[in-house]
Every structure is written in structure tokens, then in C-alpha cells.
């Protein structure tokens, strides 16, 4: 994740306008671990930036993605989720409450090697997504049963 100065520098270098709104979108994304989609980001920013439109958020995310400042996640929903942590790491989504969590320090060399062995491809990357019921939702479900 980058600070405001670094983001400003990258935007300028690549010929994009640096606006307070764009910086606020990056700041909002990098200050949460919730992997928000554009609409969630829009709602987070509404109190401080009431004139910002949802279209601006989408456009800003497109620019950030193009510049490699963010990671775009497709966790099987209608809309993309975003992550300011651009290092490769798997994600997991709860199929009940739809929260999306990071999985850090996950060793996937065995998986990668297996895929190469099976396909003959030389892998250059991967996007790993897991699905299931989060601990909180499991607890809720078992509380309902008792
Ligand atoms: Zn859940």
C-alpha cells in the first residue's frame, strides 16, 4: 500500500489528473480490509465527499487498476471487489454474509507445480478464491439451532 505522496506521483507521471476525490478513493480503499466494491466505497466516501458520484468511483478504480495500484477481485458476485494490497494473495468469501477476507502467508507452490505438471503450462500467475461459511456465520447458525 502506498501513501498519498506516492499515489500523487504515480498519477502525475502517467499523465492522470490528481484530484482530492481520486486520492480520497485510494485512501478509503487502503484503510479497509473489507475488499469493498465501488458502491461500498461510494457509501464510505459520501459523508466527506457528498458531491462525488458513483461513476467517479468506478472511473477512479479503472485508472488505479490500469496503473497497478490496486487489485481487482472477482469473487463470483455481480460487481468487482477491490484490494489496495497488490501482492499476490488468495481471498476467501463467506457465502452467507459475503464478507471477503485475505489469506496471507499461504503456501501454494504445491498447487502451482501440480497445475504445471497437469497442463504443461509455464505459470505466470494465479488468482485463488475460496468460498465457505465464515466463523461468525457458523456461530450464528449454531446459536439458532440451540
Ligand atoms: Zn459470514
Amino acid at each position: 500500500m502506498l501513501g498519498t505522496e506516492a499515489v500523487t506521483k504515480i498519477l502525475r507521471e502517467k499523465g492522470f489528473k490528481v484530484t482530492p476525490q481520486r486520492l480520497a478513493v485510494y485512501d478509503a480503499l487502503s484503510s479497509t480490509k473489507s475488499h469493498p466494491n465501488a458502491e461500498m466505497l461510494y457509501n464510505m466516501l459520501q459523508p466527506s465527499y457528498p458531491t462525488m458520484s458513483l461513476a467517479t468511483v468506478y472511473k477512479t478504480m479503472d485508472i488505479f487498476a490500469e496503473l497497478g495500484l490496486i487489485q481487482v477481485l472477482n469473487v463470483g458476485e455481480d460487481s468487482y471487489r477491490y484490494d489496495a494490497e497488490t501482492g499476490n494473495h488468495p481471498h476467501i468469501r463467506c457465502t452467507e454474509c459475503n464478507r471477503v477476507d485475505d489469506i496471507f502467508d499461504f503456501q501454494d507452490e504445491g498447487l502451482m507445480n501440480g497445475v504445471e505438471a497437469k497442463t504443461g503450462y509455464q505459470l505466470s500467475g494465479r488468482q485463488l478464491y475460496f468460498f465457505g461459511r465464515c466463523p461468525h456465520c457458523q456461530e450464528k447458525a449454531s446459536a439458532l439451532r440451540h
Side-chain angles (χ1 to χ4, degrees):
M1 261 169 257
L2 302 170
T4 306
E5 270 174 41
V7 175
T8 301
K9 190 163 171 266
I10 291 168
L11 282 170
R12 279 220 182 99
E13 273 173 9
K14 305 286 176 182
F16 291 99
K17 237 188 271 167
V18 179
T19 66
Q21 295 196 341
R22 280 184 182 162
L23 295 175
V25 171
Y26 184 86
D27 194 53
L29 182 64
S30 60
S31 65
T32 178
K33 294 216 167 295
S34 66
H35 306 90
N37 60 26
E39 207 167 330
M40 295 170 190
L41 277 168
Y42 169 77
N43 289 329
M44 283 163 70
L45 290 158
Q46 268 306 289
S48 327
Y49 296 86
T51 60
M52 193 188 300
S53 69
L54 181 57
T56 297
V57 177
Y58 275 112
K59 176 89 184 108
T60 303
M61 297 325 273
D62 281 349
I63 293 169
F64 287 160
E66 191 187 321
L67 298 178
L69 290 170
I70 60 162
Q71 207 179 136
V72 181
L73 311 176
N74 179 353
V75 291
E77 296 175 320
D78 294 340
S79 51
Y80 293 126
R81 301 286 199 113
Y82 302 102
D83 193 342
E85 180 59 63
T86 52
N88 194 290
H89 60 280
H91 292 89
I92 187 163
R93 176 168 69 91
C94 176
T95 51
E96 282 179 35
C97 67
N98 292 319
R99 63 175 288 144
V100 176
D101 286 308
D102 294 303
I103 309 172
F104 289 123
D105 303 318
F106 180 71
Q107 301 304 319
D108 61 3
E109 285 82 10
L111 184 69
M112 303 277 282
N113 292 340
V115 170
E116 287 190 336
K118 267 214 176 305
T119 62
Y121 274 59
Q122 202 170 39
L123 296 186
S124 54
R126 72 280 194 202
Q127 288 275 16
L128 286 180
Y129 299 108
F130 298 89
F131 305 92
R133 196 193 245 177
C134 74
H136 181 73
C137 286
Q138 289 173 51
E139 233 171 75
K140 258 198 315 202
S142 76
L144 282 176
R145 271 200 300 273
H146 297 299

